[in-house]
Amino acid sequence: MQELILNYTERCNGKCTTCNLWKIKKPKTLSLDIIEKLLQADRLKGLEKCYLSGGEPFMTNDCVKIAELLKKYHPSITLLGATNSVSPILERILKMKIKVSLSVSLNGTPDTNDKTRGEGHFEKAIQLMNELKQNNIPFDIAYLEINASEIDFINELAKDFGVNVGVTKLRKGERYGTEEGLTDLCPNFNCPALTDIIVVNPDGSVTACEKKMDELYLGNLYKTDLDKMNWDKVKNFIKEKKCQPCSMLCFYNKRLWYLL
C-alpha cells in the first residue's frame, strides 16, 4: 500500500459554502487507539504517504499525536494534508518530527474565496503560506475551482511563492454532501483504489475510495481488523471497473502520477 487517506475527523472550524461538514451537530472523530492499531496492520507495510484529512485535520493537537504514531510505525513516511488556514497550525506542524507537505486551500481571487470560505480567509491563507515558506515547510495551493476564469490568478499567486497548484472540482453529493457541483466523469482507467490507496473515515469505516458505494466498503475498524476485512471481493469489483466512469478526479490523477 502506497498511500493511506486518513479522514480521521468531521470537526471543522470553517464554514465554507462548498461543504456541509460544519453543519454536523455531533461530528465524529476516529480514536487515537484505533489509529494506532490500524498503523500496525500488515496491509500497510511499505506505506509511503498518509494524507491527513477531515474536516480540518490540523485543528487540534491530535494531528501531532497522529504524526508521532506514523513516525513510530512507518519511519520514512511523508504526512500530507490540506488546511483551511483558519487554525494557527504552524506551531503544531513544527512539532511534527516527520516529513510534512501541506496544501493550502483556496477557491480563487480574494473576493470569490472569501464569499465561499468566509470573510478574511484569503488574508489568513496568505499569512500561512508566508509562514510555511519562512520555515522551509513544503506546500502547494489546493485550488477548488469555483470560477474557471480565476485559474490564472491562482497560477500567478503560486508562481510568487514558488509552489505548485493542484486543481480540484466540486463533486456533487460526494463526501461533503454538497447539493451543487459538477458531475464530470473521468474516463475508464486503472484505478489505484485498494491496490495503492485506501480510505479510512471518522466513523471507523474503511473504503477503497471516497465514492459512496456499498461495493467499495471493506469493513469497520471498531469491529474488524484491517487485515481481516473483505479485500478480495472489493478488489474484484474495482478490477472489473464496475464503478467507472467516476467523478473521482483525484484518484484518476494519482494513477497518472504513479505511471510517470
Side-chain angles (χ1 to χ4, degrees), residues 1-16:
M1 195 64 60
Q2 295 188 12
E3 182 172 345
L4 168 66
I5 299 178
L6 186 57
N7 295 332
Y8 82 97
T9 184
E10 292 176 330
R11 290 180 295 178
C12 189
N13 50 4
K15 291 188 176 181
C16 303

Side-chain angles (χ1 to χ4, degrees), residues 87-153:
S87 302
I89 70 169
L90 182 64
E91 184 178 349
R92 296 188 184 109
I93 300 302
L94 292 174
K95 289 180 180 178
M96 295 180 179
K97 306 303 180 182
I98 190 175
K99 288 184 287 185
V100 177
S101 182
L102 299 178
S103 294
V104 178
S105 298
L106 286 173
N107 291 2
T109 62
D111 183 55
T112 297
N113 183 82
D114 286 6
K115 281 182 179 178
T116 54
R117 289 190 170 271
E119 185 176 352
H121 175 271
F122 187 87
E123 184 178 346
K124 291 178 181 178
I126 296 299
Q127 179 183 345
L128 175 60
M129 289 193 287
N130 280 317
E131 292 174 344
L132 294 174
K133 187 172 183 178
Q134 291 168 9
N135 286 275
N136 298 312
I137 299 170
F139 71 96
D140 59 28
I141 295 175
Y143 169 49
L144 179 60
E145 185 181 276
I146 303 297
N147 186 337
S149 65
E150 296 182 358
I151 183 62
D152 290 340
F153 171 84

